[in-house]
Each structure stands twice: as structure tokens, then as C-alpha cells.
Amino acid sequence: MINTHDLAEAEQCGRVALFSRGSVLALGDPHVLAAMAPFRAVLIGGGDVHHAARHFDAIEGVMATYVQGQRLRVLMRPDIVDKVRARAADAGLTAEDTPKRLEDAAF
């Protein structure tokens, strides 16, 4: 058993418990828990992602954006994926689906 705040590290475990304020929010395989999160994840690339973040943050239904290497990770409601893809294309950026991570499920 390990105790960590690093959810990327926790993804390497066979079973995890997510806590908030002393209560268990979720318990199970980290990949299954991540997959159950009610949103989609897209990676935006091909430009200045720091600058691009504000354009995606402004879209209703985008829950979070954060830089991941040279790309911007965008977490959103499933019904606005086409809108996010269109915004990326309009800005000359790429948008590709990416698997959800346990770290994402914290949103």
C-alpha cells in the first residue's frame, strides 16, 4: 500500500482509492476510474499552447486546460468536442483525442 498525492504515480497501482476531506470518492482500477469520468480529453498542438489556452478556456463546457509538454490538454463535456476541434482548426492548430488519465478524473 502507498499513499501519494501524485495521481500519475497512482496510475501504476492495480487499485486506488480517491479521497476528499477524509471520505472515499472512488475505489477501483485507476484506468477504469479514469475511463468513467464524464468528459472527453483532447490534445491541442501545433502552436503556442500557452496563448491558445485562453481561447479554449472561454468555451462553455470546457472544464480544464493545462499544458502537457508541447501540447494543451483540454477536458470538456462530450457534446462540445466538435466546437473545440473547430476552434483549433480556425487557429491553425491540431486536435487529437487522447485517453483520459486518473489525474483528469480529479476534475
Side-chain angles (χ1 to χ4, degrees):
M1 179 184 331
I2 65 167
N3 178 9
T4 182
H5 67 282
D6 184 344
L7 295 178
E9 181 180 49
E11 271 186 329
Q12 305 308 308
C13 297
R15 189 167 182 198
V16 298
L18 299 178
F19 288 84
S20 178
R21 299 179 187 208
S23 297
V24 175
L25 298 178
L27 178 66
D29 179 289
H31 303 288
V32 171
L33 293 177
M36 290 172 44
F39 56 79
R40 296 273 299 272
V42 170
L43 291 175
I44 305 295
D48 180 356
V49 294
H50 294 280
H51 177 73
R54 65 186 171 106
H55 297 291
F56 294 98
D57 284 334
I59 299 173
E60 185 176 337
V62 169
M63 296 178 294
T65 61
Y66 55 93
V67 175
Q68 180 182 325
Q70 298 295 315
R71 298 187 286 180
L72 182 70
R73 190 173 190 85
V74 181
L75 307 180
M76 73 208 80
R77 291 189 327 241
D79 62 310
I80 66 161
V81 172
D82 290 339
K83 183 183 273 190
V84 167
R85 288 183 178 284
R87 178 75 54 96
D90 290 346
L93 303 169
T94 62
E96 65 181 72
D97 289 333
T98 187
K100 294 177 277 189
R101 302 182 311 193
L102 187 60
E103 181 179 12
D104 298 332
F107 287 98

